[in-house]
Amino acid sequence: MAVDNKTLFESALLRRLHSLLLQIDDLEGQLDRGPRQIKAGESILDSCRDAVEAAKQNVKDATIACDEKQLQLKTREDRIEGLKAKLNTAASNKEFDLLKEQIAADQQANSVQSDEILEGLERIDELNDAVTAAEKDLAEKTTEHKKRVESVENRMAVVQADLDHVRNELVKAEAEIPAAARSEYKRLIEGRGDEALAPIEDDSCGGCHQTLTTQMVDRVRLGYLTHCPACSAWLYST
Ligand SMILES: [Zn+2]
């Protein structure tokens, strides 16, 4: 049976079917985007959490370095005290001078070390400020994300309701398809979705832009089920 030649088809029905299929495609696309938007938001939060952790680690590292320097300073101070005590019991001028030199060298080293410790403490203050800033950023982004999730979820609920409605409309419209063409319609839709149907635009197929013969255009106008010779879409007039 040549469905093409015999089945009369209202272009209005094909147009409605196509429009519903396109709407479903669009709404399904919106439903897919929702979780992706939420995921993108979550990865922003992950980066913020990483930034907080990195900032805290910087404080930890700088604190350890500073503590080590303070320990070295204290050790050297103790040694200086020890050297000073030995000054009184120096057996010779030479030993006395040597002790004096050692004390001076240690004092010089500790003076440099003190400056470094002060700088280190300042640096730790700055790094703590960076932790505070990173935590603030995380808190702000978390609030933003909560709002984003809420708005995406609200929108998804609306989109889902629309989708249910449009799918319902599609079922109704599909029931109007002439019985002889129904199985072919199902086969085409399953294979190509909304691309299974195409409007005639300026005497061409709206799906693939193949130019159609006048005869074909007329056949579609008369309601004969007609496929595009290039992409096989069912044609309908607009
Ligand atoms: Zn085509």
Side-chain angles (χ1 to χ4, degrees), residues 22-130:
L22 288 169
Q23 285 178 59
I24 288 170
D25 189 54
D26 176 54
L27 292 167
E28 285 176 342
Q30 289 186 46
L31 276 188
D32 282 350
R33 274 197 296 282
R36 282 209 301 275
Q37 285 173 322
I38 290 175
K39 214 166 186 187
E42 278 164 1
S43 78
I44 292 173
L45 286 191
D46 283 344
S47 313
C48 288
R49 284 190 204 100
D50 288 349
V52 169
E53 284 316 302
K56 283 182 176 169
Q57 189 59 46
N58 286 341
V59 170
K60 223 181 247 176
D61 293 345
T63 305
I64 289 170
C66 206
D67 287 350
E68 270 171 20
K69 286 203 164 102
Q70 268 166 335
L71 191 65
Q72 286 166 0
L73 183 89
K74 181 78 180 62
T75 307
R76 222 182 264 119
E77 271 170 359
D78 290 346
R79 196 166 67 204
I80 291 168
E81 288 313 303
L83 292 169
K84 277 181 179 168
K86 281 186 191 163
L87 282 175
N88 298 328
T89 57
S92 64
N93 279 347
K94 197 181 164 194
E95 195 190 334
F96 186 86
D97 288 344
L98 204 63
L99 285 167
K100 274 278 194 194
E101 268 170 38
Q102 280 176 349
I103 289 167
D106 276 348
Q107 280 171 337
Q108 174 60 27
N110 264 3
S111 159
V112 171
Q113 190 101 345
S114 294
D115 289 346
E116 283 177 6
I117 287 166
L118 277 180
E119 278 167 22
L121 290 172
E122 276 170 23
R123 177 91 187 111
I124 289 169
D125 280 347
E126 286 169 16
L127 291 173
N128 272 319
D129 288 346

Side-chain angles (χ1 to χ4, degrees), residues 192 198 205-210 212 228-233 235:
R192 308 181 51 198
C205 166
C208 72
H209 307 299
Q210 163 78 33
L212 304 166
C228 165
C231 73
S232 312
L235 297 166

Side-chain angles (χ1 to χ4, degrees), residues 198-207 209-210 212 236-238:
I200 295 177
E201 291 167 349
D202 296 329
D203 292 343
S204 301
C205 166
H209 307 299
Q210 163 78 33
L212 304 166
Y236 63 89
S237 45
T238 49

